Structure formats: structure tokens, C-alpha cells
Amino acid sequence: MHTPQSPCSGPDPGPLTRRDALFRAGGGLGGLALAWLSAREAEAAGAGAVGTRPAATDNVGSVRHHAPRVTRVIQIFAAGGVSHVDTFDYKPELARLNGQPLSGKGKVDTFFAQPGNLMASPFTFRQHGKSGLWISDLLPALSGCADLLTVVRSMVAANNNHTPASFMMNTGFALNGFPCMGSWVSYGLGSENENLPAFVVLPDPRQLPAGGSINWTAGFLPAAHQGVAFRTRGEPIQDLTPANPTSPALESASRGLLGEMNRGYAEASGGEGALTARIRSYELAARMQLSVPDAVRVEEESAATRRLYSLDDPQAGAFGKNCLLARRLVERGVRFVQLYHGGAFAAPRINWDGHEDVKQNHETQAASLDRPVAGLLRDLQQRGLLDETLVLWTTEFGRTPFTQGLGSRGRDHHQHVFSCWMAGGGLKAGLAYGESDEVGYKAARDPVAIPDLHATALHLMGVDHQRLTYYHNGIQRRLTNVEGEVIHGILA
């Protein structure tokens, strides 16, 4: 097999192959640009309805089932299991019963089989805003945004193990390999900016989540819909800049030749799906050379904006930059931005997994999340972007209202009830929906499963979750599997 050589490596070894062309087209991603825009437009005209689109195609254009209330999503995933009874679910009875065993709930269910006694929250709860929403003092900045929040206090998870529970929150399935919500949104609605990905992921600057890129996989959807993860330190995307400068004329000629060769290869192979997806990924990568540097140039923001996101704070600055990047990306047309707060689960805990001491753990994590997220909400509101954006704050499950073992200050995993919140267009703001029981052990009113949350998010984007499907292994798959009901009680 012929080995591709650099243009500076000596005499031409023989006929130009497709692999040679790929190498010679440029040292960076710019050389991988392909002439597929005209074909893309033609395909868009005949894309058809969601669920009947050929599996090989990259979804172009926007197929909606009803008028959308929002056009973009920012999902903040707080990894580790945030304690609902210490954040958004005020339980005075828990304080009254402090130190007593849980009773009257049947068999006590825990992950580590170490049920302790009920423990009052170490944080003080107060009512905030005109809505009077109860939020603990753990999150003082976010409490100031109470009238923007729609809190769901009756979430129920299907699993209390971190990895499958995280998969469930992101993909609707406890097993890995299924497309995450961002990929479904990319597939169903495409991008508003052809120079940027439809789905961008901003991992926690401190640590990647357990499983790494499997958390933003496209699963069986075309590869073009996988989340594009930006690096939060240094260059946002590796190899974005060519290693060696290339003249515009040479780059243009290389793109034209490579495009012609790839079209011929695709036609000869019958339009094979993996090749088509890769061609489009390369095409997007080339265009990103111009668009990404502008999108991530946070230094051009005003001093007031930098303060709003706490960019100069040693604890909150790194995540604050991610929150600011999320705003810059959605205002440039990125459809779905996912931010991770918290990493893998090995010690020391760089996440919300408060087994040993929930007060210490949650205070540490809140110090880097509270002000940046509040800044994001206020910035979106000030710029008129919140009405067209859905901000979705999630975690994989809650934590037990009792301690993990007698004498402990920590709380165990808890799937029977927990809290999430939303903000943005189409929602009743300043609302607490659903209710847990008197100590926060089980959902007592209006339980909400994760597929319901997904169905509601899609609904706000103008998509019927039952009709956004993809044929795979003999089944019309969807984000919500065979479940999911829109939570009409939170819709404005």
C-alpha cells in the first residue's frame, strides 16, 4: 500500500491516491473541507418527515411538529447526585425528626445498605423572589434568580448507580450506546449555523466525567450528531489550526480536488452512510477553523460580564468561563450546549457525591457552580435570549434524607425522589411542581420520570417525542423509549 508523504519529503512517489490527497490538502482540519454544500441543500429539500429519513443522511433543515417556544437548549449536568433536601426541597419535618430512624415507609432502600437516622439539612432554607420559592442558603446567587426557575421536586430515577443513572438522564436508557438528548436534538432540528456544530459539550475543567465521550455519544444515529467536546484549557479543539501555513489558492485547489474525489468514491460505493457522515464531519471541521476562534474569544467581553460570570474567581472562574461560552455559542446558533459540573467518582470527589460529609461536599461544589449559573441566567435574560432558550439543570438522582450509616454526616444515593429545574421560554417561572413526602423520601404528588422531562424539553422545541424516531435493529427508536408524557403543569 502506498504511504502518503509530505510535500517536503522528496520526489513524488507515484500516482496521487485519495489518501495522498487527504494528507496534502493541509496540515490541519482546513484541508478536509469538501464541496458538499450544494448536495446538502438538495437533500434538505427532500428530507421528509422525522422518522422516515434515510439512516445515512445527516438531518438538514428543521422538521417540527408544532410551533416551538424555544430554539436552543443549555443543559447543565451536576454529576454525583445533588441532595434535593439540601437545595430545592424544603422539609421542616426533617428538622423536627432529626436523629430519629425513618419509619412508616416500608423497607428502607439504600445503595450501600447502610441506613442511618434522619438528618436535618445543615443549610437554612428561605423563600425568595416574588414567587416565594424555597431554596437553601447553599445557593445564594441562584436564589436571587428564583422568579426565573421552574423547579420539579418530584423527579424519580430508575436507578441509583451513578453510571446507569447518568446514562438514563442523558439518553433515556440505563445502558450505554444510546444517543443522548443533544444528539436527538441535532438529528431532529439540525443547526442554525452551518459553521458550528449543532451539539457542543463543555466538560468540567477539573475532570472528565466517568466514561468520557460516551456521555455525549450519538449512539446509532449518524456520527455527525455526536457532541463536539471543547477543551476548556488551551486551544478549544485539538488540531484546529494547521501545523503549517497554506496559501488560500493551494487550499482552495486542494478542497476542490478532494471534494471531487470523495464524491466519486461515494457514488461508486452507493452512498455508504459512514462515509457520508465522515465527509460532513470533515466539512464542518474545516469551517470551524474560522467560526470557533470567534465563539470562544471571551476576552472581548466587558468587565461587567466577566464579573457576572466570576471569571476572575479562583474557585468559580473555570466553570464560569464554560457558562459564558454556552451563552456565546447559543447566540451564534448552536442548538444544544451541555455543560458538565463534576467529574469521575474516584477519590478525591470532584463531584456532588456527598457520601462522607454532605455539607462539606456540597459547599465545595456550590462554590464553583452557584454564581456562574446565576450569571448565565441573568445574562440570557438581559440579552433577550432567555425567552428562546431552555436552560435545563439536572443531576442523576438525589440523596437520602437519612445519613449513610449511624454517626455519619453523609447521605447515600437516592432514586425515589429528587429535584431538577428549568428556566426559559414557555415555562411557568417561579413555580415548584410536584411534591415529595414529609421527609423527602418518596414522590408524594405528580411524580416525574426522566422520559417525561425529555418529552417536555422536546415539546418546548416544537418536537413531538413520539414522532422523533430512528429505525435501528428492527425498531423505531426514540429518546423516550416507550414512555414519556409532557409535563403540562409547568407550561405557560
Side-chain angles (χ1 to χ4, degrees):
M1 181 177 289
H2 173 61
T3 302
Q5 297 194 9
S6 162
C8 300
S9 63
D12 192 333
L16 184 70
T17 68
R18 186 168 174 272
R19 182 171 294 185
D20 285 329
L22 282 168
F23 188 93
R24 296 184 183 192
L29 294 175
L32 298 176
L34 306 170
W36 267 78
L37 291 177
S38 58
R40 179 176 177 144
E41 293 299 322
E43 190 174 345
V50 174
T52 61
R53 188 174 294 103
T57 66
D58 160 77
N59 181 28
V60 289
S62 176
V63 182
R64 286 193 168 93
H65 304 119
H66 53 265
R69 300 299 301 270
V70 298
T71 58
R72 305 172 197 108
V73 176
I74 297 174
Q75 182 194 10
I76 303 165
F77 184 77
V82 179
S83 173
H84 54 296
V85 295
D86 295 309
T87 50
F88 300 103
D89 197 0
Y90 177 42
K91 292 298 168 189
E93 190 70 1
L94 191 58
R96 191 183 71 81
L97 297 174
N98 182 53
Q100 299 183 31
L102 178 68
S103 62
K105 305 295 180 183
K107 182 181 178 181
V108 178
D109 188 14
T110 67
F111 183 70
F112 281 104
Q114 297 173 314
N117 291 330
L118 293 168
M119 181 175 71
S121 176
F123 307 106
T124 301
F125 277 77
R126 306 177 200 275
Q127 289 182 284
H128 295 274
K130 295 180 180 178
S131 60
L133 203 63
W134 288 95
I135 304 174
S136 85
D137 288 354
L138 176 68
L139 303 166
L142 200 52
S143 296
C145 302
D147 289 338
L148 301 178
L149 305 183
T150 304
V151 179
V152 180
R153 291 179 174 159
S154 52
M155 291 295 307
V156 179
N159 197 292
N160 64 353
N161 188 350
H162 287 297
T163 301
S166 296
F167 290 155
M168 187 74 192
M169 180 57 76
N170 286 322
T171 72
F173 292 83
L175 299 176
N176 65 18
F178 287 86
C180 57
M181 180 162 57
S183 295
W184 278 109
V185 170
S186 171
Y187 168 67
L189 298 177
S191 178
E192 292 185 309
N193 184 340
E194 68 174 16
N195 296 323
L196 288 169
F199 175 25
V200 171
V201 179
L202 302 174
D204 191 310
R206 302 169 297 175
Q207 193 180 62
L208 287 174
S213 61
I214 198 170
N215 290 281
W216 44 88
T217 179
F220 45 73
L221 293 178
H225 302 297
Q226 176 167 312
V228 176
F230 282 16
R231 297 196 304 172
T232 50
R233 298 186 187 276
E235 197 173 29
I237 298 179
Q238 255 181 329
D239 301 323
L240 191 66
T241 304
N244 300 303
T246 304
S247 71
L250 177 60
E251 186 166 333
S252 177
S254 299
R255 291 180 182 183
L257 175 61
L258 187 57
E260 184 178 341
M261 296 175 74
N262 273 289
R263 285 195 300 275
Y265 189 89
E267 291 169 2
S269 62
E272 195 270 324
L275 174 64
T276 302
R278 178 165 292 190
I279 285 173
R280 291 184 175 173
S281 295
Y282 285 161
E283 176 195 44
L284 171 62
R287 295 195 303 271
M288 284 166 58
Q289 282 190 299
L290 297 176
S291 58
V292 168
D294 170 70
V296 302
R297 200 174 291 127
V298 298
E299 60 271 15
E300 68 186 23
E301 297 284 348
S302 68
T305 299
R306 294 179 63 87
R307 286 193 300 272
L308 186 64
Y309 286 90
S310 302
L311 294 196
D312 297 323
D313 182 270
Q315 286 183 293
F319 187 69
K321 180 183 176 183
N322 276 7
C323 290
L324 178 53
L325 280 176
R327 187 268 286 168
R328 291 177 65 88
L329 289 168
V330 296
E331 72 181 347
R332 285 163 172 77
V334 173
R335 185 75 69 182
F336 196 105
V337 181
Q338 185 180 42
L339 295 87
Y340 279 84
H341 187 268
F345 302 106
R349 299 191 190 281
I350 305 178
N351 51 50
W352 294 81
D353 199 17
H355 286 288
E356 296 81 15
D357 187 326
V358 73
K359 181 177 186 295
Q360 182 183 57
N361 171 271
H362 277 31
E363 283 179 339
T364 300
Q365 300 311 314
S368 59
L369 174 135
D370 181 40
R371 283 175 292 161
V373 173
L376 172 63
L377 291 175
R378 294 194 182 282
D379 199 17
L380 290 171
Q381 184 185 38
Q382 291 166 6
R383 295 170 184 271
L385 293 171
L386 189 58
D387 286 343
E388 59 191 51
T389 304
L390 172 65
V391 181
L392 180 60
W393 183 91
T394 62
T395 187
E396 63 264 46
F397 42 61
R399 308 206 76 83
T400 55
F402 45 82
T403 61
Q404 184 178 327
L406 296 174
S408 168
R409 299 297 298 170
R411 300 189 191 275
D412 201 354
H413 305 176
H414 194 64
Q415 82 273 27
H416 295 303
V417 70
F418 63 108
S419 297
C420 292
W421 59 259
M422 292 177 263
L427 294 167
K428 294 177 181 176
L431 173 75
Y433 179 86
E435 186 178 341
S436 64
D437 63 24
E438 71 282 6
V439 294
Y441 181 72
K442 286 190 176 181
R445 179 171 57 85
D446 298 323
V448 174
I450 290 171
D452 302 332
L453 196 70
H454 291 165
T456 305
L458 292 179
H459 175 83
L460 288 167
M461 298 197 77
V463 175
D464 182 342
H465 72 103
Q466 293 180 315
R467 296 167 63 190
L468 178 62
T469 63
Y470 189 92
Y471 187 76
H472 175 71
N473 278 354
I475 301 174
Q476 288 288 355
R477 290 288 190 185
R478 68 188 207 216
L479 172 62
T480 53
N481 197 9
V482 293
E483 305 172 72
E485 297 288 341
V486 175
I487 315 168
H488 290 283
I490 67 174
L491 303 181

